[in-house]
Amino acid sequence: MKILVIDDSKEDRDLIINYIKKIEKADITVDECNCLERGLNKLSKNNYDAIILDLALPETDGIETIEKTLEHLDKHNKTTPVIVLTGLEDYSVGRKAWLLGIKEFLIKDEVQSKDISRALSFATINTKPQINSIAM
């Protein structure tokens, strides 16, 4: 499984990657970038099984970040599932994200390793073998 993490906070990217590394029985490669522009560039050149996306990035914020990501995927005929992991605790944004097709909307201050494992498992249910469990 290949995952792209797009988040402008190095600390948050490191935390997400650490959570991903705790997933057992999964061969996972993680690419990371600190802005949407670099993330979209990576998406143009590579295939990913899932994207973990922060909503507040240097060049976009909120729903606009999702819309630009989905437009880019559509332009390149990709159906990569997007998981939002954000510090924004606005569940109305979460509802809008779901309506746009986001697979999961997670809040950074609430998320744990098991949440990342579950989100990746469910987001990729039609594309890859399932992630079975995580190390505790």
Side-chain angles (χ1 to χ4, degrees):
M1 179 179 289
K2 191 170 181 179
I3 300 166
L4 176 62
V5 177
I6 305 173
D7 195 312
D8 59 330
S9 167
K10 176 71 172 141
E11 290 174 350
D12 289 343
R13 285 193 318 272
D14 289 345
L15 181 64
I16 295 163
I17 292 167
N18 184 46
Y19 285 164
I20 291 169
K21 287 180 180 179
K22 290 182 179 181
I23 297 172
E24 290 181 0
K25 299 180 184 177
D27 182 19
I28 300 176
T29 302
V30 180
D31 284 346
E32 60 179 292
C33 39
N34 63 358
C35 69
L36 189 59
E37 181 181 345
R38 288 188 183 116
L40 297 181
N41 187 36
K42 285 183 181 263
L43 284 170
S44 297
K45 297 176 182 176
N46 302 286
N47 290 318
Y48 293 95
D49 298 297
I51 302 163
I52 298 178
L53 178 67
D54 183 20
L55 293 186
L57 296 169
E59 63 273 70
T60 62
D61 192 32
I63 291 297
E64 179 187 15
T65 306
I66 296 169
E67 291 171 336
K68 286 188 175 191
T69 303
L70 295 176
E71 287 170 10
H72 184 83
L73 288 168
D74 189 50
K75 178 181 173 183
H76 293 278
N77 296 314
K78 296 185 178 190
T79 58
T80 311
V82 178
I83 299 165
V84 169
L85 181 61
T86 183
L88 183 65
E89 292 188 45
D90 184 345
Y91 291 101
S92 68
V93 173
R95 282 190 296 276
K96 290 176 187 174
W98 276 93
L99 292 172
L100 289 171
I102 296 305
K103 297 296 182 182
E104 184 69 74
F105 187 87
L106 302 171
I107 307 298
K108 287 181 182 180
D109 289 342
E110 300 171 2
V111 75
Q112 298 177 10
S113 296
K114 64 183 172 82
D115 301 314
I116 298 292
S117 178
R118 184 192 70 244
L120 288 170
S121 181
F122 290 157
T124 60
I125 201 161
N126 293 323
T127 59
K128 294 287 178 189
Q130 294 307 293
I131 297 167
N132 295 322
S133 63
I134 71 162
M136 296 307 247

